[in-house]
Amino acid sequence: MKKVSLLLVLVASFAFLFSCHKEEGGVIPSIENKITGYTLDTTGVLQLKTSSDFDMVVDMVKLYYVEDTEQTHIFRIDADSIAFKNVLVPKGGGIVDTIWGLKPNTAYKYYAVFEDFTPLVDTIADTLLNWKSVKTMNPGIPERVKADTAWINNDTLWLFGTVRSHWRPLMDSIGLTRDLKFEWGTEEAALDNNVVAQKVLDTIVGGKMEITIGGCIPKRVLTGAAKVWYRAYAKHAWGDGEQSSEIKSISLSAK
C-alpha cells in the first residue's frame, strides 16, 4: 500500500507540474483575447489595441500590404510584408513601428498576423482575407522654409534657417531628410552652390516638426567676394514636395 500511495503521489505531483507549466504557457499567448484591433494610419504608423491590464510582448507581428487597385480578391502572394519581432505592447495598446516602404497619397489594403511563443507559421489560407483599407497622406510641400541669420566665426561663414512641416514627410527610415540645405552664390541671380545642413535641431511645435538647420562655408572659398546671397531649401523625404525660402544676404565684412 505504501508503494502504491507513493506512486499515486508521484503521478499526482507530475500532473500538477505539467498543468502548471501548461497554464503558464497559455496566459500570454492568448492573443485573440488580448489584441483587440490594429490600425495602419495615414502616416504609415502601425498601432495595436489590447484589452490587457499589463504590458505584453508578442513574439511576431507580420503585416501584409498591397496597393489597392479595387480588386475584389487580393492574395497574400501579391502583397509585400514586414515582420516585427519581440514587440512590446503597452497596456491598452501602442505603436509597433512605421512602415517606411509606403508611398504617399496612395490607397493600400493591409492585414496583420500575430504569433507568440512559436515560429511564424502561415495559418491563414490564401483566399479572400479580411483586408483593411487606408490611404496615406498627401505631404504637399514643406509648410514653411525660412532663411534666418548668418555670421562669420573662425574664418567660416555660417548660414541658418528653419523648416516646419508634418513629421512624416520630413523623415524616412534613417531619420530626417537629407534634402535640407542652403543654396548660395556671390550674386543674387546665381545661387548655384549648395551647402547641406550640418547642424539640425528639431522640436515639436503645435503638433508639427520645426527644424533649425545650419550650414557652413569656409571663408577661403569666398576670396574676392564682398557679399554672399543665400536661401534655405527643403525637400520631403516622402514625396517630391519642395520649398525654398526668401533670399537673404550677408556682407563678408560683417563680424
Side-chain angles (χ1 to χ4, degrees):
M1 289 295 293
K2 288 183 179 179
K3 290 183 179 179
V4 173
S5 298
L6 179 60
L7 179 61
L8 289 174
V9 169
L10 291 174
V11 170
S13 300
F14 178 77
F16 174 77
L17 290 173
F18 180 77
S19 64
C20 287
H21 176 74
K22 193 171 184 180
E23 286 177 7
E24 181 182 356
V27 173
I28 296 179
S30 57
I31 294 174
E32 62 276 7
N33 296 324
K34 294 183 182 288
I35 295 181
T36 59
Y38 60 91
T39 303
L40 183 63
D41 69 18
T42 59
T43 66
V45 172
L46 177 63
Q47 299 189 57
L48 301 184
K49 293 182 180 179
T50 80
S51 59
S52 177
D53 292 329
F54 49 85
D55 295 349
M56 56 185 293
V57 176
V58 180
D59 279 1
M60 183 83 76
V61 178
K62 189 170 186 179
L63 181 79
Y64 293 87
Y65 62 94
V66 62
E67 287 189 40
D68 187 357
T69 57
E70 299 185 353
Q71 304 171 226
T72 303
H73 292 76
I74 299 176
F75 298 93
R76 185 161 40 179
I77 194 172
D78 299 320
D80 292 316
S81 65
I82 185 168
F84 302 97
K85 297 181 178 180
N86 299 319
V87 177
L88 175 63
V89 186
K91 174 183 175 180
I95 293 174
V96 173
D97 210 328
T98 300
I99 313 304
W100 298 106
L102 302 183
K103 296 185 290 187
N105 199 29
T106 303
Y108 285 92
K109 294 283 191 183
Y110 69 96
Y111 77 93
V113 173
F114 308 94
E115 295 293 335
D116 213 18
F117 294 104
T118 57
L120 184 66
V121 177
D122 292 338
T123 57
I124 300 177
D126 285 330
T127 57
L128 181 62
L129 298 167
N130 187 25
W131 295 85
K132 296 185 176 185
S133 298
V134 66
K135 185 174 182 180
T136 52
M137 66 180 290
N138 183 354
I141 62 175
E143 294 177 16
R144 186 180 71 188
V145 180
K146 182 182 177 184
D148 295 325
T149 57
W151 63 75
I152 297 172
N153 184 34
N154 295 328
D155 294 325
T156 300
L157 173 61
W158 281 96
L159 309 176
F160 291 91
T162 53
V163 178
R164 187 174 184 181
S165 187
H166 189 281
W167 71 269
R168 178 60 181 89
L170 291 176
M171 297 186 71
D172 60 16
S173 59
I174 60 174
L176 290 170
T177 173
R178 263 65 56 207
D179 286 317
L180 298 173
K181 62 184 180 181
F182 295 91
E183 298 171 331
W184 66 274
T186 54
E187 297 180 11
E188 185 176 5
L191 305 183
D192 48 9
N193 300 294
N194 295 314
V195 172
V196 175
Q198 295 144 323
K199 290 186 176 182
V200 179
L201 177 64
D202 60 278
T203 56
I204 300 296
V205 179
K208 300 296 176 71
M209 181 175 282
E210 186 162 296
I211 304 170
T212 300
I213 60 175
C216 65
I217 307 170
K219 197 175 178 182
R220 55 183 168 75
V221 306
L222 303 172
T223 302
K227 184 177 287 190
V228 168
W229 302 84
Y230 66 96
R231 65 185 172 197
Y233 171 91
K235 183 178 181 181
H236 282 156
W238 191 24
D240 57 1
E242 59 185 351
Q243 180 89 300
S244 296
S245 72
E246 75 286 3
I247 297 175
K248 284 193 171 183
S249 65
I250 179 175
S251 171
L252 295 184
S253 60
K255 300 295 184 182

